[in-house]
Amino acid sequence: MQSKSFLSEYKTYLIIGFLFILLTYWYFYLATIADIGYVFNFIMQIVQGNITGQLVPFDSLTHYEQMEVGLFGPSYETIAPEVIRAFEERQHLLPLVFLAEFFLFLTMFIVAKGRKQAQITRASDTVQVYSLFQRVIILLNIIVMAYLFVTGFSITFGNITGGGYVARFMRASHEIVGVGWIPIWLIMTVIAFKDHKYFARPTTKIWNKIFLRGTYHPMDRINYYAYVAFGGILVLSGFIIWYMVLDSATYVETIQFKRFILFLHFMGSAIISFFTFETVYSMFAAVKGYIPGVVTGKLPVEYLEQLRPDVLEEEALTN
């Protein structure tokens, strides 16, 4: 009985965890994006304060190998060379990955029997669910993330999109907008921590103007954890990439570290995209009325009763 209860409560987490293990195995070992042994030793080297990536003593290299390291940095082929070279080798396969994800969510939509919609008979009977502060952060997060995805894809598929002013602008703006996303990500992380029942609330009225209402279902909570974890990887790695400008004097000593950070940035974006698409599907496509509710801040009581009863459990809405 205990085992059944455990599986019933945590089956979503177990399934997602298993799929994530398979994804990690494919990503690191089958896709050969990086030499895992080298990456591990490089991380150990970074912990000791050395970011050169030259694991083998320089003096032990041949004259030709020393010249190669001096031009390109150490062990060029060990960390995501296809990432560094804008996916020359495999970028033609990436559209197939996102096409597969699209059909996956289309199947989810069909299995879920279409779009969920509340039966509204009292449209004027509404409740203020989102404060102005929350609406601004949510909408900014949606807009900025969408822009970062578009411009990020433009960089990733650089060989297909080509060069020119537009490509240069998208690359430059991706960095600047990405830096601007850092505080938005941080604030969204805080206000979306819905398991706030573990904290003492000064007043419910003030609390609900800052933190989002309601509680998470298992998949929603996984999406939140993914947003926090991989969003944090994107924020940290993106800031380092933007901040660390290479020059001729520091190129050899820092290029391998920047390659490693770029590898982490791509990994974070590749993984967070799945959870972001699932969130977009579950909130924007699968349920009618979410977008107007975020824009106005108000949702009909009948909408909440049928689709978001957890929100009605908040003390401010039940009184």
Side-chain angles (χ1 to χ4, degrees):
M1 191 72 176
Q2 293 291 334
S3 177
K4 183 178 179 180
S5 176
F6 175 85
L7 292 176
S8 176
E9 183 175 358
Y10 294 102
K11 63 180 179 181
T12 303
Y13 302 102
L14 295 174
I15 293 173
I16 295 298
F18 176 72
L19 293 176
F20 185 75
I21 291 173
L22 291 180
L23 174 64
T24 303
Y25 177 75
W26 172 84
Y27 189 79
F28 285 107
Y29 291 98
L30 300 183
T32 62
I33 289 180
D35 182 332
I36 302 304
Y38 175 86
V39 170
F40 175 79
N41 290 322
F42 186 25
I43 293 175
M44 294 298 99
Q45 187 188 68
I46 293 174
V47 171
Q48 298 173 31
N50 186 351
I51 65 171
T52 63
Q54 185 60 48
L55 303 184
V56 179
F58 186 79
D59 294 338
S60 67
L61 302 177
T62 65
H63 182 65
Y64 176 80
E65 289 173 336
Q66 290 178 352
M67 289 193 301
E68 193 175 36
V69 169
L71 288 173
F72 304 109
S75 302
Y76 177 75
E77 295 293 334
T78 55
I79 297 182
E82 55 268 50
V83 174
I84 308 305
R85 293 196 290 262
F87 286 89
E88 284 186 25
E89 295 93 341
R90 300 178 183 178
Q91 67 172 228
H92 63 284
L93 298 177
L94 289 179
L96 299 179
V97 175
F98 291 106
L99 184 64
E101 284 192 358
F102 171 78
F103 279 106
L104 173 62
F105 290 115
L106 181 62
T107 303
M108 290 170 56
F109 186 78
I110 295 174
V111 171
K113 298 180 180 180
R115 198 179 194 191
K116 298 178 182 178
Q117 181 176 356
Q119 299 298 320
I120 307 298
T121 60
R122 307 187 310 275
S124 59
D125 186 10
T126 61
V127 173
Q128 187 76 30
V129 176
Y130 303 102
S131 67
L132 176 62
F133 168 72
Q134 293 168 341
R135 280 152 35 210
V136 169
I137 296 300
I138 292 174
L139 292 174
L140 277 176
N141 190 56
I142 293 171
I143 294 171
V144 171
M145 285 194 71
Y147 186 81
L148 291 176
F149 271 118
V150 171
T151 54
F153 286 148
S154 174
I155 297 172
T156 300
F157 299 110
N159 288 349
I160 297 176
T161 57
Y165 176 79
V166 174
R168 181 183 178 186
F169 173 79
M170 294 184 77
R171 177 182 291 272
S173 62
H174 180 85
E175 296 183 357
I176 300 302
V177 174
V179 173
W181 184 61
I182 294 177
I184 298 174
W185 167 83
L186 181 59
I187 296 173
M188 191 69 198
T189 294
V190 173
I191 69 174
F193 186 64
K194 290 187 177 183
D195 296 333
H196 49 65
K197 62 184 180 181
Y198 301 110
F199 299 95
R201 308 184 187 189
T203 66
T204 303
K205 184 176 180 181
I206 296 177
W207 187 277
N208 285 339
K209 288 184 178 181
I210 300 174
F211 292 91
L212 301 180
R213 296 186 176 101
T215 55
Y216 283 126
H217 296 295
M219 191 62 213
D220 298 328
R221 186 175 288 109
I222 290 174
N223 288 338
Y224 171 74
Y225 290 155
Y227 175 82
V228 175
F230 296 105
I233 292 175
L234 289 175
V235 163
L236 180 60
S237 60
F239 180 81
I240 293 174
I241 292 171
W242 169 80
Y243 181 79
M244 196 173 73
V245 179
L246 304 181
D247 56 36
S248 58
T250 61
Y251 178 85
V252 175
E253 290 78 11
T254 57
I255 183 58
Q256 192 73 334
F257 179 71
K258 192 166 185 178
R259 289 171 184 158
F260 174 67
I261 296 300
L262 182 59
F263 168 65
L264 291 180
H265 194 72
F266 171 76
M267 180 191 71
S269 63
I271 297 176
I272 200 176
S273 64
F274 175 85
F275 295 99
T276 300
F277 292 159
E278 201 285 330
T279 301
V280 170
Y281 164 80
S282 61
M283 292 185 173
F284 289 81
V287 181
K288 184 178 181 180
Y290 177 82
I291 298 178
V294 172
V295 173
T296 64
K298 297 181 179 181
L299 287 170
V301 173
E302 292 173 311
Y303 176 96
L304 297 174
E305 290 174 343
Q306 298 172 46
L307 301 178
R308 297 290 306 280
D310 56 313
V311 173
L312 286 178
E313 294 178 4
E314 294 289 337
E315 182 180 352
L317 301 182
T318 55
N319 293 337

